[in-house]
Amino acid sequence: SLPACPVPAPGHPTSWLSKASYPPQSPLPCSDVTFVVGREQQKVFAHRCVLACRCQAFQGMLSKGPASSEDHPNSIQPQGPFILGNVQPEVFLAVIEFLYTNSVTLNSHIALEVLTSSVEYGLQDLCELCVKFIRDTLSVEQVCEALQAAVTYGQADLQQHCLAFIEDCTAAVVQTRGFHELSDTVLAQVLRSDRLTADEPDLVQAVREWAHVSSAVLERPVPEVAALPVQELRLPLLAPTELAALESHNQRDLLIPVESIAAAWRSHALKKGSGMPSRLCRPRRGTRPRDHHRHLDPHAK
């Protein structure tokens, strides 16, 4: 895995607290709030004034106090502890580090989760640091997870960077767990690309494997979970023998609607992409040339 990398926020003071004070897992001088984080129940100590000043989400959390403080609304808020059971300690410590120092130490294991926390806490500068780190350290194993996060959190630049990476490394990426965990909408977005470096039969097989994983996880039929992505498979690019093999295999799981297979056969019979969306007749960067491709009309509507 990639080493931890401290990333400073541009245009901000370098530090509010010496790095020597990290991680704050023992009481800091004058610390007045405690968090119990993760399944490990790790204690993290901090200062209310710093957290409230730097982050509105913490300001709201700290003004309410833990549940026990509601019985004494006029009393000074107790130091907690605040229980954060669904957060990894390393991720929460990265958020606290950023609030104190305007920089963050990231590694490939926590960067995406820190990105999620930055969005939840409304920390735009931390979000930008996470995006930069993720973009600069993309790997075959993590690129699909990064793409899914980029779509979820509206990070257009990261989306484009991830898609370009997938386009260059398609054959390897489709074998990863991250690929099998993509949502149907994000997978469909990937399959719309002309620059994927994989042949169409390989993409059909990759979508079939994705669909069976998704079907098992979501407990829904294969044709239902795959309805959106299969619309982006370019079946007219398949040779007749390949299309016949696909049709035979398709009888087992009904991955692809029979209408789509019939339309691909029709393009062969008419020797043109008549009636097919033009994108489905366009070879991709990784498409292996076949004799019938010369008959496909890229301008067909």
Side-chain angles (χ1 to χ4, degrees):
S1 63
L2 293 166
C5 178
V7 186
H12 291 280
T14 303
S15 177
W16 286 30
L17 188 69
S18 167
K19 287 281 187 180
S21 301
Y22 275 89
Q25 299 167 55
S26 57
L28 299 170
C30 302
S31 61
D32 57 0
V33 63
T34 306
F35 299 90
V36 178
V37 185
R39 290 178 296 178
E40 302 89 338
Q41 298 187 332
Q42 180 173 323
K43 289 186 177 181
V44 177
F45 302 90
H47 303 87
R48 288 174 176 273
C49 60
V50 175
L51 303 189
C53 177
R54 294 276 283 143
C55 176
Q56 288 187 351
F58 275 111
Q59 184 180 51
M61 179 194 303
L62 296 171
S63 66
K64 295 176 183 178
S68 59
S69 69
E70 295 176 359
D71 296 332
H72 307 281
N74 296 322
S75 64
I76 297 175
Q77 296 290 355
Q79 71 174 36
F82 289 85
I83 310 298
L84 302 176
N86 296 324
V87 183
Q88 284 190 48
E90 191 177 2
V91 172
F92 186 71
L93 285 168
V95 173
I96 297 297
E97 177 188 359
F98 173 78
L99 294 177
Y100 275 90
T101 70
N102 277 312
S103 64
V104 63
T105 303
L106 296 172
N107 61 56
S108 59
H109 299 296
I110 67 168
L112 285 167
E113 292 192 51
V114 177
L115 173 62
T116 298
S117 293
S118 73
V119 173
E120 292 174 347
Y121 288 120
L123 298 170
Q124 181 59 33
D125 286 343
L126 178 57
C127 179
E128 292 174 3
L129 294 178
C130 291
V131 167
K132 182 181 186 304
F133 179 88
I134 293 165
R135 188 178 63 236
D136 292 345
T137 58
L138 277 180
S139 67
V140 166
E141 291 297 328
Q142 291 191 315
V143 65
C144 288
E145 190 177 356
L147 176 61
Q148 187 71 57
V151 172
T152 300
Y153 302 128
Q155 299 295 321
D157 181 65
L158 183 57
Q159 286 183 52
Q160 294 175 3
H161 200 83
C162 290
L163 182 57
F165 188 102
I166 292 171
E167 289 169 340
D168 289 339
C169 305
T170 310
V173 168
V174 298
Q175 302 296 323
T176 64
R177 176 177 177 178
F179 178 83
H180 294 147
E181 293 178 349
L182 286 174
S183 69
D184 59 343
T185 54
V186 174
L187 177 55
Q189 177 183 331
V190 170
L191 293 172
R192 290 188 192 108
S193 172
D194 291 341
R195 298 187 58 77
L196 296 178
T197 48
D199 201 13
E200 209 64 24
D202 298 326
L203 292 176
V204 172
Q205 180 59 28
V207 171
R208 171 167 275 114
E209 293 173 3
W210 168 90
H212 281 268
V213 171
S214 296
S215 174
V217 171
L218 300 174
E219 297 183 339
R220 293 163 50 196
V222 165
E224 184 179 326
V225 299
L228 189 61
V230 297
Q231 294 178 28
E232 304 304 327
L233 292 174
R234 304 183 181 185
L235 302 185
L237 298 180
L238 301 181
T241 54
E242 295 168 326
L243 192 56
L246 171 65
E247 188 171 28
S248 175
H249 196 169
N250 199 61
Q251 294 175 6
R252 306 174 197 170
D253 57 14
L254 302 179
L255 172 74
I256 299 171
V258 294
E259 297 84 358
S260 298
I261 297 177
W265 278 121
R266 188 162 55 249
S267 72
H268 279 284
L270 300 176
K271 296 189 181 301
K272 62 179 181 178
S274 178
M276 299 288 291
S278 59
R279 72 183 189 280
L280 300 184
C281 299
R282 222 167 28 233
R284 307 179 195 266
R285 184 158 54 133
T287 300
R288 181 172 58 82
R290 294 161 174 81
D291 290 341
H292 74 283
H293 288 177
R294 67 182 185 274
H295 300 302
L296 295 177
D297 181 4
H299 304 293
K301 302 296 181 184

